[in-house]
Amino acid sequence: MFRALLVDKTDDAGYHCKLTELDEAQLPASGDVTVRVAWSTINYKDGLAITGKAPVVRSFPLVPGIDLAGTVTESAHPRWKPGDRVLLNGFGVGESHWGGLAQMARVKGDWLVALPEGLSEREAMAIGTAGYTAMLCVMALQRHWETAGVAPGSGEVLVTGAGGGVGGVAIALLAAMGHQVVASTGRPDEGDYLQGLGAREVMDRSALSAPGKPLQKERWIGVVDSVGSHTLANACASTRYGGAVAACGLAQGMDFPSSVAPFILRGVTLYGIDSVMAPLARREAAWQRLATDLDRSRLNAMTKELGLAEALAAAPAILAGRVRGRLVVNVNA
């Protein structure tokens, strides 16, 4: 038997998520690798899955949790053997397939990434999907800057949604690379925290969140945006000639009320960043970079630890924007 959060939807009880005990025989038969989970996380999508505020769960019953890290106990996959330390994020885990907010998981071996040398399971989950997505954004911007001959420190880089997990890791990574990071947040009282992560300046999100002109004063050499909607449109409108924007989220909305002006008059490039179905080589590269490039002290500063039962209460808080940084879940606590 093992402990797990389980989402179900029944005619009499409706949609609900509870902490329960399951038998290993109940794990999905479709997977070919069984993992003893050590750590997981709570992301925004997990908050939606646990509360039912949006239809992200596509089959019932289901264990939520889009991230997990642990040790292989059984494997019918040629890449993995018992004792291997692995991590997983994406591929619909925690949505269509049983996820990581449990002490055991059975998944497809093709989805797994070897835990990088020197990175613990807890640190991997403190990074989680949010930090992995931030690294994909930074890698896209870095490739763009290298092609364009843009050097670190030659201009300001905007990070929106800075108080969240993606924003916090993006700030830490970009600052470590020598960039001048400006953090946009709806929580100005978090200024000291964001500057501690490496932000040179903190701005109120209201400066970006309302409808704006299609072309604005040029400011950013690059942008990491996890907000979408008017914030993304204004970020593009104020990006410097030849700059780039990496878009990975929709906290404000999935609309994009912009125009072609920044793209055809200033040569701005908009990169769409998908973390769910990214190919293995890109995943491995991102996790290797995270293991070497991310300052662990800054990672610890943005991380709060929970037990499995506490994850239930954390879900509404993360949806309400009352959580900063990363929530890491010790599934054995």
Side-chain angles (χ1 to χ4, degrees):
M1 303 294 290
F2 64 94
R3 297 167 69 233
L5 296 187
L6 190 70
V7 174
D8 208 349
K9 189 176 185 180
T10 58
D11 292 338
D12 55 339
Y15 188 104
H16 60 278
C17 182
K18 65 179 181 180
L19 177 61
T20 188
E21 285 199 347
L22 300 173
D23 191 285
E24 192 170 331
Q26 294 175 265
L27 289 170
S30 57
D32 52 10
V33 178
T34 303
V35 178
R36 184 174 300 281
V37 181
W39 295 87
S40 185
T41 68
I42 292 286
N43 297 280
Y44 191 87
K45 191 177 287 186
D46 300 317
L48 295 174
I50 289 170
T51 62
K53 294 295 184 182
V56 298
V57 176
R58 297 181 176 86
S59 65
F60 297 91
L62 180 132
V63 173
I66 64 173
D67 291 318
L68 66 86
T71 304
V72 173
T73 60
E74 296 180 42
S75 176
H77 191 282
R79 287 180 57 217
W80 308 110
K81 64 183 186 302
D84 286 343
R85 298 164 68 240
V86 295
L87 62 87
L88 188 154
N89 56 274
F91 296 107
V93 170
E95 301 173 78
S96 303
H97 310 280
W98 282 31
L101 286 168
Q103 293 173 316
M104 299 293 295
R106 184 170 292 133
V107 298
K108 293 184 178 180
D110 288 344
W111 300 341
L112 294 170
V113 172
L115 193 70
E117 194 69 32
L119 195 67
S120 70
E121 287 91 343
R122 185 188 186 279
E123 288 169 334
M125 292 297 94
I127 296 167
T129 287
Y132 154 73
T133 302
M135 179 53 87
L136 291 178
C137 290
V138 170
M139 288 166 64
L141 293 179
Q142 188 175 29
R143 288 192 299 269
H144 182 93
W145 289 328
E146 288 173 352
T147 301
V150 176
S154 60
E156 295 177 307
V157 182
L158 173 68
V159 176
T160 69
V166 173
V169 176
I171 291 169
L173 290 169
L174 289 163
M177 293 166 61
H179 291 287
Q180 303 168 27
V181 182
V182 177
S184 169
T185 180
R187 292 174 277 178
D189 56 319
E190 300 282 13
D192 290 344
Y193 160 73
L194 295 171
Q195 288 176 332
L197 296 180
R200 295 278 189 92
E201 179 185 334
V202 178
M203 63 184 292
D204 195 290
R205 70 181 178 197
S206 61
L208 296 166
S209 59
K213 296 179 180 179
L215 276 181
Q216 300 170 28
K217 183 179 179 180
E218 296 180 60
R219 183 171 182 183
W220 322 114
I221 61 168
V223 178
V224 174
D225 176 67
S226 61
V227 178
S229 192
H230 292 292
T231 298
L232 175 58
N234 287 320
C236 291
S238 51
T239 295
R240 284 167 41 175
Y241 188 93
V245 178
C248 65
L250 41 71
Q252 185 179 6
M254 67 189 315
D255 59 319
F256 182 41
S258 184
S259 77
V260 298
F263 311 110
I264 65 173
L265 298 179
R266 290 182 180 164
V268 171
T269 299
L270 177 59
Y271 291 99
I273 305 300
D274 165 57
S275 63
V276 177
M277 302 303 293
L280 179 61
R282 191 178 304 161
R283 289 173 179 274
E284 290 177 332
W287 279 105
Q288 289 296 332
R289 287 280 305 274
L290 285 160
T292 57
D293 294 6
L294 182 59
D295 186 321
R296 305 298 171 81
S297 64
R298 288 177 171 173
L299 178 63
N300 289 334
M302 70 179 84
T303 302
K304 179 181 178 181
E305 185 176 318
L306 305 175
L308 192 56
E310 295 172 289
L312 285 169
I318 199 168
L319 295 184
R322 299 197 302 269
V323 173
R324 77 177 186 190
R326 300 286 298 128
L327 297 178
V328 63
V329 180
N330 181 352
V331 299
N332 297 303

